[in-house]
């Protein structure tokens, strides 16, 4: 037995805790540290924030950033994969408009799986990444009843431009929108191996369901209010604050805590400082929309809430998390309905989860792949000792 193998002992205290903290595998794409937050393939996220989303997709699949030549080739490759099947229009036309956008996204991914499957893990994962901008754009269009005059998908554009082009929002600064969406995608593409949606996607793929079915399952996991849907709750919270006056904001924060409600956008399970993804988005907001009403509110919240939360020693991290700023920025460029926010999160994660599924299926264990997931459950009344008998 090596020293490594003795580092972690499973005790009965680990049972029924949602696998929290239990080491179960290796993640090649990203990890999270308490001070610098998420790192993609070793790079702290703050160093990557200005990269194009296509560069990060390349990084997650190849474990290195592309050089200029590789970048050009990869962008062309993604563009060649971008076309979406006509059937997606029929399906979206028929879905209930009051269904949650995350359910639409999951169904859209299933449609891709039913029409575009190759059966090759990497091909399918990259094809899905390439098709997502159009799927996302179409989802907005059909949900909002803007089914007529949808611009053709311009496959020579970047992923974000294709989405913005499909949406074709009137009276919105498309360049600003593109910058905010691109930054959002880069910051959200991956977050370690054990978060619920990533784990779910990999678990489904371990039974050799295809990448599309696995990703649809991952999106369903992401849609939960304790997971990806927190970003929707965050903007709803900011709208509820409704003022950027520091005294009133402090009163509001205290009254929410008094009522045992969370202060959304603050705190983190792993980070012990402000999430660099929040820092990046605050800097972007100061550049793009310093006078936006919601941005002014989150600026004040960022000053006031950590001081109030720090009064409670139980709270491990009183600082801003990634979700505090993303909603205000998206809102500023016309995405005023927070129920859509988790779909941006899902769109971004298709890259990270797709890359992790590829690693687990094709790369790990010298190419044999990780076997079908099968954690051990103990029968009622038994203890861990029974496992050794
Ligand atoms: N507001 C109110 N109470 C908070 C809080 C906050 N922002 N952050 C932590 N706490 C409370 C916890 O609920 C917990 O209370 P309990 O002991 O009564 O159960 C106690 O402080 C200790 O929690 P913790 O160890 O500091 O954090 P955690 O790992 O249990 O929870 C998180 C982390 C993010 C769920 C929590 O900070 C929270 O609920 N934040 C507000 C909601 C939010 O912003 N969610 C988005 C998270 C974004 C992300 O992680 N990507």
């Amino acid at each position: 037995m090596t020293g490594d193998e003795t580092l972690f002992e499973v005790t009965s205290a680990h049972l029924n805790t949602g696998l929290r903290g239990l080491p179960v595998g290796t993640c090649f794409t990203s990890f999270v540290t308490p001070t610098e937050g998420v790192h993609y393939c070793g790079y702290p996220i703050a160093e990557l924030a200005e990269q194009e989303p296509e560069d990060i997709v390349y990084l997650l699949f190849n474990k290195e950033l592309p050089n200029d030549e590789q970048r050009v080739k990869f962008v062309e490759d993604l563009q060649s994969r971008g076309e979406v099947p006509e059937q997606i229009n029929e399906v979206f036309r028929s879905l209930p408009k009051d269904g949650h956008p995350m359910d639409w996204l999951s169904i859209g991914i299933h449609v891709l799986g039913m029409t575009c499957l190759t059966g090759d893990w990497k091909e399918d994962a990259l094809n899905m990444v390439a098709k997502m901008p159009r799927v996302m754009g179409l989802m907005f269009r059909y949900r909002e009843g803007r089914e007529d005059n949808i611009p053709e998908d311009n496959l020579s554009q970047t992923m974000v431009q294709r989405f913005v082009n499909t949406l074709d929002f009137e009276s919105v600064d498309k360049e600003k929108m593109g910058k905010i969406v691109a930054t959002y995608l880069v910051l959200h593409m991956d977050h370690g191996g054990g978060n619920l949606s990533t784990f779910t996607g990999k678990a489904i793929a371990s039974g050799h369901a295809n990448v599309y079915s696995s990703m649809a399952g991952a999106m369903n996991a992401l849609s939960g209010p304790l997971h990806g849907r927190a970003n929707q709750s965050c903007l709803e919270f900011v709208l509820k604050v409704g003022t950027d006056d520091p005294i009133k904001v402090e009163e509001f924060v205290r009254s929410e805590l008094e009522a045992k409600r969370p202060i959304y956008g603050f705190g983190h399970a792993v980070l012990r400082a402000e999430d660099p993804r929040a820092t990046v988005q605050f800097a972007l907001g100061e550049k793009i929309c310093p006078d936006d009403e919601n941005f002014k509110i989150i600026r004040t919240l960022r000053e006031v809430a950590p001081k109030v939360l720090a009064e409670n020693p139980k709270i491990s991290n009183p600082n801003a998390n990634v979700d505090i700023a993303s909603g205000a920025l998206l809102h500023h460029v016309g995405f005023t309905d927070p129920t859509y926010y988790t779909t941006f999160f899902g769109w971004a994660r298709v890259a990270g989860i797709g890359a992790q599924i590829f690693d687990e299926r094709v790369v790990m264990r010298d190419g044999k792949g990780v076997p079908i997931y099968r954690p051990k459950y103990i029968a009622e009344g038994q203890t861990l000792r029974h496992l050794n008998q």
Side-chain angles (χ1 to χ4, degrees):
M1 200 182 258
T2 69
D4 245 10
E5 286 163 18
T6 59
L7 272 179
F8 197 91
E9 199 180 344
V10 178
T11 71
S12 53
H14 290 104
L15 300 180
N16 304 321
T17 57
L19 292 171
R20 272 171 174 256
L22 278 178
V24 291
T26 318
C27 179
F28 293 159
T29 56
S30 64
F31 59 86
V32 186
T33 66
T35 50
E36 291 182 304
V38 69
H39 295 59
Y40 295 161
C41 303
Y43 293 96
I45 190 66
E47 283 181 22
L48 297 171
E50 289 297 321
Q51 301 277 339
E52 293 301 323
E54 283 83 350
D55 290 348
I56 307 300
V57 176
Y58 185 97
L59 173 67
L60 294 170
F61 278 85
N62 297 287
K63 321 303 181 235
E64 61 179 17
L65 282 168
N67 61 30
D68 290 344
E69 196 184 322
Q70 288 163 332
R71 174 177 300 115
V72 171
K73 265 198 175 154
F74 186 64
V75 168
E76 279 171 8
D77 179 57
L78 279 181
Q79 287 167 341
S80 73
R81 299 168 182 273
E83 198 178 331
V84 303
E86 190 46 42
Q87 288 99 317
I88 200 144
N89 295 286
E90 292 160 39
V91 172
F92 277 176
R93 203 172 284 125
S94 69
L95 292 181
K97 292 202 170 38
D98 53 357
H100 195 278
M102 281 304 282
D103 292 335
W104 279 58
L105 187 65
S106 176
I107 288 167
I109 289 171
H110 267 309
V111 174
L112 296 182
M114 285 184 257
T115 51
C116 309
L117 187 69
T118 72
D120 179 287
W121 295 104
K122 191 172 185 182
E123 285 296 300
D124 284 332
L126 287 173
N127 286 345
M128 190 174 1
V129 168
K131 293 175 197 308
M132 284 305 288
R134 184 68 173 177
V135 172
M136 282 286 293
L138 291 176
M139 179 186 71
F140 273 83
R141 300 281 313 214
Y142 282 99
R143 284 180 60 83
E144 290 165 1
R146 296 194 302 126
E147 299 176 15
D148 298 330
N149 306 319
I150 299 179
E152 289 289 310
D153 194 3
N154 181 351
L155 291 171
S156 65
Q157 294 182 315
T158 65
M159 294 197 295
V160 168
Q161 284 167 343
R162 282 173 53 215
F163 167 68
V164 174
N165 169 55
T166 304
L167 264 189
D168 201 22
F169 273 176
E170 277 170 19
S171 60
V172 158
D173 182 333
K174 291 187 178 169
E175 211 174 304
K176 254 190 200 181
M177 178 188 272
K179 179 66 187 161
I180 283 172
V181 172
T183 306
Y184 187 99
L185 292 181
V186 167
L187 298 180
H188 286 81
M189 277 192 185
D190 206 34
H191 207 249
N195 66 80
L196 180 66
S197 49
T198 305
F199 186 80
T200 302
K202 291 187 297 186
I204 297 172
S206 78
H208 293 196
N210 67 58
V211 179
Y212 294 99
S213 301
S214 305
M215 196 64 72
M219 293 301 122
N220 295 341
L222 190 68
S223 72
L226 295 187
H227 191 19
R229 223 199 293 174
N231 63 0
Q232 171 182 331
S233 311
C234 259
L235 200 265
E236 287 163 353
F237 176 80
V238 170
L239 295 175
K240 210 167 122 188
V241 176
T243 169
D244 66 339
D245 179 285
I247 293 169
K248 289 195 180 130
V249 170
E250 180 170 339
E251 278 168 15
F252 181 83
V253 168
R254 289 189 187 283
S255 68
E256 288 294 289
L257 289 172
E258 190 87 356
K260 306 267 178 263
R261 285 191 287 264
I263 306 307
Y264 282 96
F266 294 86
H268 200 272
V270 180
L271 271 153
R272 294 296 171 257
E274 179 171 283
D275 189 331
R277 297 173 300 173
T279 315
V280 165
Q281 292 182 100
F282 272 113
L284 182 61
E286 292 295 354
K287 221 156 88 187
I288 283 185
C289 55
D291 299 322
D292 177 275
E293 286 310 312
N294 295 319
F295 189 74
K296 281 165 39 187
I297 295 172
I298 62 168
R299 189 195 281 129
T300 306
L301 269 171
R302 186 194 196 188
E303 280 164 24
V304 169
K307 287 183 206 146
V308 178
L309 291 170
E311 290 169 11
N312 179 352
K314 266 195 344 192
I315 298 180
S316 331
N317 179 9
N319 300 298
N321 64 44
V322 64
D323 290 329
I324 183 67
S326 54
L329 297 185
L330 290 171
H331 192 280
H332 178 74
V333 286
F335 301 111
T336 50
D337 178 353
T339 63
Y340 283 99
Y341 293 174
T342 314
T343 64
F344 287 101
F345 194 171
W347 172 13
R349 280 293 158 91
V350 164
I353 298 173
Q356 291 200 35
I357 288 176
F358 166 67
D359 289 340
E360 286 213 357
R361 302 279 35 92
V362 181
V363 181
M364 288 186 185
R365 300 208 308 162
D366 294 327
K368 245 170 53 182
V370 174
I372 187 167
Y373 282 25
R374 190 67 173 94
K376 180 76 187 170
Y377 279 75
I378 313 290
E380 199 187 351
Q382 291 197 328
T383 69
L384 286 179
R385 268 195 215 92
H386 291 91
L387 293 180
N388 299 322
Q389 288 168 0

